[in-house]
């Protein structure tokens, strides 16, 4: 079951299985920063707690980068627990419609 938790950005573990390749979109991060400054409510980044790995974001990497660039140290995230296979599937599902 997913729950909302305020997490320290520095405690998150970026894992290659949870990110689409070649997805560093600085212009999108800038747009998200503008939204944060304007007070727009952004979707919560999605994180999976994977035993032996830690808290791995699998959806909302750019949002996390934007919050961090704006000086935030903590962000509300939606957290679930799962295995590496669960993480791989969740990341694939989250990125299936992305074409950044």
């Amino acid at each position: 079951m997913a729950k909302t938790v305020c997490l320290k950005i520095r405690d998150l573990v970026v894992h290659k299985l949870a990110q689409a390749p070649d997805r560093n979109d600085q212009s999108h991060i800038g747009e998200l920063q503008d939204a944060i400054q304007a007070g727009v409510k952004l979707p919560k980044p999605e994180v999976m707690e994977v035993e032996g790995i830690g808290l791995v974001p699998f959806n909302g990497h750019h949002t996390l980068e934007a919050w961090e660039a704006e000086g935030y140290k903590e962000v509300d995230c939606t957290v679930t627990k799962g295995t590496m296979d669960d993480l791989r599937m969740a990341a694939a599902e989250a990125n299936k419609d992305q074409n950044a």
Side-chain angles (χ1 to χ4, degrees):
M1 173 176 263
K3 60 183 176 180
T4 298
V5 179
C6 186
L7 299 175
K8 292 180 181 175
I9 295 172
R10 71 169 190 241
D11 291 343
L12 300 176
V13 178
V14 176
H15 196 285
K16 65 181 178 180
L17 288 178
Q19 279 189 299
D22 302 323
R23 275 289 179 68
N24 189 359
D25 186 344
Q26 290 300 317
S27 66
H28 181 52
I29 293 168
E31 292 168 358
L32 291 167
Q33 285 181 261
D34 292 344
I36 291 167
Q37 293 168 10
V40 174
K41 186 175 180 178
L42 299 175
K44 292 179 185 78
E46 295 178 87
V47 175
M48 188 170 291
E49 185 177 355
V50 181
E51 188 174 340
I53 305 266
L55 296 162
V56 183
F58 65 88
N59 192 14
H61 290 90
H62 290 127
T63 302
L64 285 166
E65 289 182 48
W67 282 111
E68 189 170 34
E70 286 300 303
Y72 287 80
K73 305 288 186 214
E74 299 178 340
V75 177
D76 283 342
C77 299
T78 301
V79 180
T80 58
K81 288 187 178 187
T83 65
M84 283 302 291
D85 285 339
D86 296 330
L87 177 65
R88 182 180 293 116
M89 295 301 292
E93 180 66 24
N95 288 305
K96 74 178 183 180
D97 294 326
Q98 304 284 332
N99 52 14

